[in-house]
Amino acid sequence: MTQSTTCWAVVPAAGAGKRMNADRPKQYLELAGKTVIEHTLSHLLQANVFAAISVAISAEDGYWPELELSTHSNIITAAGGKERADSVLSALTAIRAKASDDDWVLVHDAARPCITSADIHQLIDTLYQDKVGGILALPSHDTLKNVQGGAIVGTLDRNHIWRALTPQMFRYGLLKAALEAAVGNPAVTDEASAMELQGLQPKIVEGRPDNIKITRPEDLALAQFYLEQQNNG
Ligand code: C5P
């Protein structure tokens, strides 16, 4: 990690997380004595590579100001948006005055608390000289079906199928332009898809399987198990 270009982290954290059926957004659920988002941000801070972390928070979010990390000197609070892409764009705009177009931005879901410094360093070290950037991903071990109306209409060749994780690492200027061009497009569910729509081909860097996204209630127990394993290892 001897590179000199600045790296920023952007954390979209303005989702409601309705699939959790909880009384609060999933990033504020308790996991091993802290909230999910505190684990996520602590792990990003521990990686010790970011000039600052820009976090997109919903206007109705009363939980964020209660957290000590919300006033951390390396953490910037930005307004959340309607969709994930709007939140990322807002977090990028919040660092506009300080970031250069060539700087790297690593966008990481607030709902992925088990991210490790090893994964972050691996992504940066692999892509640092790249023109476009890329994402952490995992090869699919399951056979994937194309389903319409409850019936299978095709089987995807799993040798070509990867599951997109975060962080997703792109140059500030290209990423901001790609997201601005993609506003309102429901097919843009991650940063890589916005870049793809620009005709670019982001790279794949194999990540760790413990970098799960908290989506359903049972994911919390799994995340707790992974965090314990990481602490023991
Ligand atoms: O809903 P999903 O799990 O795909 O969300 C991924 C991340 O995007 C979460 O960290 C969530 O808080 C964030 N998000 C956001 N703004 C939205 C929707 C989701 O920051 N409008």
Side-chain angles (χ1 to χ4, degrees), residues 11-19 25-27 37 55-58 79-88 108-112 166 189 213-215:
V11 176
K18 295 209 174 76
R19 283 168 291 191
K26 59 186 174 182
Q27 55 273 24
I37 193 171
V55 188
I57 297 289
S58 161
K82 190 163 166 278
E83 305 296 335
R84 183 182 187 285
D86 303 313
S87 296
V88 172
H108 183 66
D109 291 333
R112 291 186 190 270
T166 71
T189 50
K213 184 166 75 168
I214 306 290
T215 307

Side-chain angles (χ1 to χ4, degrees), residues 84-161:
R84 183 182 187 285
D86 303 313
S87 296
V88 172
L89 209 41
S90 164
L92 287 173
T93 305
I95 53 172
R96 170 72 286 187
K98 290 181 253 177
S100 305
D101 278 355
D102 273 350
D103 285 355
W104 285 113
V105 178
L106 276 73
V107 182
H108 183 66
D109 291 333
R112 291 186 190 270
C114 305
I115 182 66
T116 57
S117 289
D119 249 2
I120 294 168
H121 294 166
Q122 165 85 351
L123 184 67
I124 294 175
D125 289 346
T126 309
L127 297 176
Y128 197 75
Q129 305 287 357
D130 202 87
K131 287 207 159 44
V132 177
I135 71 170
L136 285 181
L138 280 172
S140 176
H141 299 309
D142 295 320
T143 298
L144 296 175
K145 303 295 186 187
N146 189 350
V147 175
Q148 283 170 30
I152 296 168
V153 296
T155 300
L156 304 178
D157 179 356
R158 73 176 177 193
N159 291 318
H160 297 286
I161 302 295

